[in-house]
Amino acid sequence: MLKPRPTPTRELVSLDGLWRFALEGGPGPLDTALEAAVPASYNDLFTDPAVRDHVGWVWYQRQVRVPRGWAGERIVLRLDAATHHGRVYVGDVLVAEHTGGYTPFEADITEHVRAGQEFRLTVAVGNELTGVTIPPGTITVSADGRRRQTYLHDFYNYAGLARSVWLCSRPPVHIQDITLVTGLDGTVRYTVETSEPTPVRVRVLDAAGTQVAVGEGATGTVRIEDVTLWRPGAPYLYELVAEIDGDSYPQPFGVRTVEVRGTEFLINGEPFYFTGFGRHEDTPVRGKGHDDAYLVHDFQLMDWTGANSFRTSHYPYAEEVMDFADRHGIVVIDETAAVGLNLAVASGLFGAPPRPTFSPETYGEATRDAHAQAIRELVARDKNHPSVVMWCLANEPASNEEGAREYFEPLVELTRELDPTRPVTYSAVMFATHDNDRIADLFDVVCVNRYYGWYIATGDLATAEAYLERDLRGWAERFGKPVMMSEYGADTQPGLHSVWDTPWTEEYQQAYLEMHHRVFDRIEAFVGEHVWNFADFQTAHGIHRVDGNKKGVFTRDRRPKAAAHALRTRWKGLAGRKPANPR
């Protein structure tokens, strides 16, 4: 799905701003005094706990005027996301419905509106998570009739219209999609899909706007002479302009390759070592609402630490984030919203009786179908981003349990079919070891989440170091693939200090990270380190968290803890290269 862009043949109107908002309603005029910001999660905007804790549908509404110059054009509504379910009404007519809270969807409303006239736009957004959604969850009803949502992911279930809404025009015959695959010799293989069969032309422009290649046909290959590659930290973007009679669309791209060879991760044929973070789209008041100011500042802070990459934990991020990463040379591991596919977590946290994660009664074919659709939509949206170097299909699934292979093998095959150019991974939970994991051989890179020194051997970093090294060497020796740490971290209260190894202090977080780095540098197959987390973030209420997860090296309002300075010292000297093995 092409991102809306203003072009000589297309226009778009932002529908961001204040919308009428209600917990109860329908496509008719909303009877409410409340207004909600778009883009933003609605949960933290209001003081009424009934809004924050609401389980079910909410209603957004506003009047929209179609520009008078759009007569004869196709008129399209585009929602960048509706978390987790969306229904869109023009007047009283349902024009679109979508499940999946982090990928875009659209509706052609040409037959329902007129150029120059107004219409009533209503968007219903549902936040319910069940056993057949990605991510999954459970809804219970208390004795007094209140509905309660529980889930197994450790971040708050923010909901609403957290990304932009657009009104777009397109020519009657238009370009629908573009797919690009590049080679180090400057070759660009392209496929252009159109709404009707029609001749296609393509032009490639360099960063200065100079034409450097041309081609004809809906599919083909062009070659850029003296190509400049897109590199981590040194990005260079070209633009492929697809043209048909009456329409054109510019698709930015970078020329680069990605490959796993033995125990190395290669970008443009050169070994690459990941440094950076797992992150969250999470800020005060906005929740998961996209904010350009935070986007710029967060990338500045990552650059300040020397980070060269991040994982979109645990869902696809806003397209503005991906575009920014392309332009600034930050490498991205792009993840689906499949977090919480592990019922052993519920047993560990809540003392619930153990249940199999993968079964017809728990997460079965319907869940896998939803997961497959999430993969299709992620790849379709992000396939042309040079910053995206790997697809991550799930975070901490029960990969050690019976049924895991039957669940994941078709999903891995689907991902490779959709995009054979990028490696595929998942992030393994603590319960999954190199001895009992059932699926790691299906993937290209072994990513592990480990918390030795925090959840295990808490406060005992000497024991934790021995556990960690034995664990990582086991993965490397069994699978013979690149290994990276996709999560490691310790909750830290800013301003809490001690001369001893005391958990929650800033000194302990720094010592904890330094211990991990000593181990990483001793593992030859190791290819990267992503600290959990970039910044503190909000979680569900409960005794396990005090005002959220505090594993950030920055506070939720982006003030550095001592660990941020320590990471800066380490990463500024690495610049994408693995440290020399001291053994």
Side-chain angles (χ1 to χ4, degrees):
M1 179 183 293
L2 295 176
K3 180 181 179 180
R5 300 182 190 276
T7 75
T9 60
R10 300 171 179 230
E11 295 180 347
L12 63 156
V13 175
S14 170
L15 301 184
D16 293 354
L18 294 175
W19 294 46
R20 292 188 294 278
F21 178 85
L23 298 186
E24 303 290 340
L30 290 183
D31 182 15
T32 179
L34 296 180
E35 296 181 71
V38 175
S41 304
Y42 64 76
N43 307 80
D44 293 352
L45 296 180
F46 306 99
T47 57
D48 186 352
V51 178
R52 180 174 174 81
D53 300 331
H54 178 72
V55 178
W57 294 89
V58 300
W59 298 82
Y60 291 80
Q61 192 172 90
R62 61 164 291 169
Q63 291 294 117
V64 177
R65 181 174 295 279
V66 181
R68 62 182 181 177
W70 288 11
E73 299 290 290
R74 303 308 298 182
I75 300 170
V76 176
L77 276 170
R78 209 261 197 174
L79 289 82
D80 287 348
T83 309
H84 296 277
H85 315 274
R87 294 174 182 162
V88 183
Y89 300 83
V90 171
D92 295 330
V93 179
L94 177 67
V95 296
E97 191 164 4
H98 181 261
T99 296
Y102 305 99
T103 44
F105 62 105
E106 62 185 31
D108 188 319
I109 61 171
T110 309
E111 307 308 319
H112 304 285
V113 299
R114 294 292 179 269
Q117 297 183 5
E118 280 194 344
F119 67 93
R120 184 177 66 249
L121 172 61
T122 307
V123 180
V125 182
N127 66 351
E128 297 182 4
L129 300 174
T130 70
V132 295
T133 63
I134 296 295
T138 303
I139 296 174
T140 57
V141 181
S142 63
D144 60 1
R146 287 180 298 159
R147 305 175 80 239
R148 182 169 177 248
Q149 175 80 71
T150 57
Y151 42 90
L152 297 178
H153 54 266
D154 186 33
F155 56 95
Y156 192 81
N157 187 39
Y158 282 113
L161 294 177
R163 298 176 187 165
S164 291
V165 182
W166 305 92
L167 187 68
C168 315
S169 74
R170 296 175 187 161
V173 180
H174 53 270
I175 296 163
Q176 289 185 318
D177 198 16
I178 299 172
T179 303
L180 304 176
V181 177
T182 62
L184 296 185
D185 61 353
T187 56
V188 181
R189 290 187 285 121
Y190 68 88
T191 301
V192 179
E193 298 179 21
T194 56
S195 59
E196 297 179 14
T198 186
V200 175
R201 305 172 299 279
V202 301
R203 296 183 293 124
V204 177
L205 309 179
D206 66 13
T210 302
Q211 182 172 290
V212 293
V214 296
E216 291 190 6
T219 62
T221 301
V222 296
R223 187 169 184 272
I224 304 169
E225 298 291 340
D226 300 319
V227 66
T228 301
L229 300 181
W230 187 98
R231 300 180 186 277
Y236 189 94
L237 293 179
Y238 291 91
E239 191 172 80
L240 182 138
V241 181
E243 298 174 322
I244 61 175
D245 287 345
D247 192 24
S248 66
Y249 186 89
Q251 177 61 59
F253 71 97
V255 177
R256 65 103 186 91
T257 61
V258 182
E259 179 187 0
V260 169
R261 186 186 303 158
T263 59
E264 290 185 315
F265 192 97
L266 306 177
I267 298 180
N268 298 333
E270 300 173 354
F272 179 75
Y273 188 82
F274 295 82
T275 58
F277 301 95
R279 300 174 63 232
H280 268 298
E281 293 185 313
D282 175 277
T283 57
V285 182
R286 302 165 185 80
K288 292 198 176 304
H290 176 72
D291 183 283
D292 282 339
Y294 269 101
L295 167 65
V296 171
H297 189 56
D298 286 356
F299 271 72
Q300 282 286 298
L301 292 178
M302 285 192 289
D303 181 68
W304 177 85
T305 64
N308 61 25
S309 57
F310 64 89
R311 175 168 62 118
T312 70
S313 44
H314 300 296
Y315 37 81
Y317 286 4
E319 286 170 281
E320 291 85 350
V321 178
M322 314 307 288
D323 290 340
F324 203 87
D326 289 344
R327 295 195 300 271
H328 292 270
I330 296 293
V331 169
V332 180
I333 298 174
D334 209 356
E335 187 165 283
T336 74
V339 54
L341 294 171
N342 198 322
L343 294 177
V345 173
S347 300
L349 287 177
F350 309 120
R355 293 190 298 158
T357 298
F358 304 106
S359 75
E361 296 73 34
T362 52
Y363 304 143
E365 287 188 18
T367 311
R368 190 175 62 199
D369 289 345
H371 197 162
Q373 183 60 22
I375 293 170
R376 291 187 190 96
E377 294 184 10
L378 174 64
V379 174
R381 194 195 74 168
D382 291 349
K383 61 190 174 185
N384 292 324
H385 287 288
S387 58
V388 175
V389 301
M390 187 155 53
W391 306 115
C392 184
L393 301 194
N395 182 72
E396 297 190 347
S399 59
N400 56 307
E401 290 189 25
E402 185 176 347
R405 193 173 188 90
E406 291 77 5
Y407 181 95
F408 275 100
E409 191 163 16
L411 299 179
V412 175
E413 292 174 355
L414 171 65
T415 308
R416 297 196 195 284
E417 177 184 329
L418 294 170
D419 178 18
T421 72
R422 289 178 176 89
V424 183
T425 192
Y426 70 102
S427 291
V429 70
M430 287 284 294
F431 309 140
T433 70
H434 58 273
D435 289 324
N436 66 19
D437 185 276
R438 298 168 182 254
I439 66 173
D441 62 294
L442 300 173
F443 294 82
D444 300 295
V445 176
V446 174
C447 288
V448 293
N449 297 351
R450 292 295 183 264
Y451 291 94
Y452 299 115
W454 189 247
Y455 296 122
I456 296 174
T458 310
D460 183 356
L461 293 179
T463 298
E465 185 166 352
Y467 285 170
L468 177 64
E469 183 161 1
R470 183 165 62 245
D471 190 343
L472 295 181
R473 288 194 181 280
W475 288 96
E477 291 168 5
R478 179 183 172 190
F479 295 104
K481 298 182 177 187
V483 178
M484 73 172 288
M485 187 70 82
S486 41
E487 288 185 22
Y488 63 112
D491 282 277
T492 303
Q493 182 63 34
L496 185 63
H497 299 282
S498 176
V499 297
W500 301 291
D501 277 345
T502 304
W504 288 91
T505 64
E506 293 195 43
E507 289 79 11
Y508 187 78
Q509 185 184 38
Q510 184 172 338
Y512 171 98
L513 296 179
E514 289 171 349
M515 177 273 288
H516 281 74
H517 300 154
R518 290 194 298 272
V519 175
F520 298 166
D521 295 351
R522 296 196 293 261
I523 307 296
E524 187 174 351
F526 211 73
V527 297
E529 52 199 63
H530 276 178
V531 173
W532 189 256
N533 190 281
F534 170 71
D536 297 343
F537 57 90
Q538 192 56 260
T539 61
H541 304 307
I543 60 172
H544 301 288
R545 298 287 179 220
V546 180
D547 193 31
N549 189 305
K550 296 296 200 304
K551 291 188 179 69
V553 302
F554 295 94
T555 62
R556 199 179 187 209
D557 59 356
R558 280 36 177 189
R559 288 172 294 170
K561 302 174 188 177
H565 294 275
L567 287 174
R568 173 180 166 86
T569 299
R570 173 175 171 82
W571 289 347
K572 281 292 186 179
L574 296 184
R577 298 182 297 274
K578 179 173 171 54
N581 192 316
R583 286 190 176 179

